[in-house]
Amino acid sequence: MKVLVTGGGGFLGQAICRQLVAKGHQVRTLNRHRYPALDALGVEQAVGDVATLDVVLEAAAGREAIVHTAAKAGAWGPLAEYYDANVRGTDHVLAACEMHGIDRLVHTSSPSIVHDGHDLDGVDERTPYGRHFSAPYPQTKVIAERRVLAANSPKLATVALRPHLIWGPGDPHLLPRLVERAQKGRLRHIGSVSKKIDTVYVENAAEAHVLALEKLGPGAPIAGKAYFITQGEPIAVDAMVNALLKAAGLPPETRRLPLDLARPLGAIMESLWRLVGAKHEPPLTRFLVEQLSTAHWFDISAARRDLGYAPRVSTSEGLVRLSQHLARERLEQRRAAPGG
């Protein structure tokens, strides 16, 4: 197929592109910048922002399918920026499908859209959308997913995938934030009890998108549905955090912050940061407290059954790969340093 991958230069996007190219698909990406790694794959790159309709329409011309991964992620920033990227951007992708007669759309959503601050223990896709969100990311992603699934029709088949806490070699989001907080002494486990979460290794998340794309089409059984995508290996938050720190060559975190203190502290920090107009994220936010103090792991039976999804890379194998990758990076940095 001739496929457009929005956000193809991102962490997940590049992994999807690698797998699509390996399977013989013709890939074009829409990114805000050019990426040498995509050039090396032979991927055609369109440079622009999904928040601009004309840019999306031009990038989608001549495509048969779209994998829409572009989004503004994070737990901090103006709502308008999240809305432009996550809602308007998705509207533009849907418009491009309609105007160009594209009949397949795989949308990258997020499990955070069903999280409203309470434990989610092994829940499945019947779980309703959250109604109260502590950050603009899930608030805007739920709007986007609703619109994508509502657009499913005899002319356009849509499916939404919800990969959870993507990690692995090249991760520019989750791991760097953990490492920075640990190195600055700002990392703490939240609450007296470590709840279970599930995550997903980047290559597994990418494969789920490729599987969905190849099974999708008007009237397909998966059309109009959403699927949780994880490792299928729930693990305590503390254990996963410390496993990632170990892979980065750092000692485990043992300090804890009581939940009764963390919640108001996160709210106070958010208020102070807004008051002074700070652009960078506060050390603690309400969203971060929720994510670190509640259970959020999911039943992926539907993805296994309908997509044929089976996480090829286990969590333990993924951690080995990540550790080796980071060790090579540290060695290269030492060699590149003066006197190295």
Side-chain angles (χ1 to χ4, degrees), residues 41-80:
L41 286 172
V43 168
E44 179 186 352
Q45 297 185 63
V47 178
D49 194 328
V50 291
T52 304
L53 176 59
D54 289 346
V55 167
V56 179
L57 292 176
E58 184 176 351
R63 298 292 95 179
E64 298 168 294
I66 298 179
V67 179
H68 178 40
T69 75
K72 179 176 175 61
W76 185 251
L79 174 60

Side-chain angles (χ1 to χ4, degrees), residues 259-301:
L259 184 56
D260 289 344
L261 176 60
R263 281 174 174 155
L265 190 58
I268 290 169
M269 285 188 174
E270 286 184 32
S271 298
L272 288 175
W273 258 242
R274 289 193 182 95
L275 184 64
V276 301
K279 300 294 184 182
H280 61 283
E281 183 179 336
L284 197 64
T285 63
R286 291 170 299 152
F287 182 74
L288 184 60
V289 171
E290 285 181 2
Q291 293 296 300
L292 291 176
S293 65
T294 60
H296 35 106
W297 60 278
F298 307 91
D299 181 349
I300 60 170
S301 298

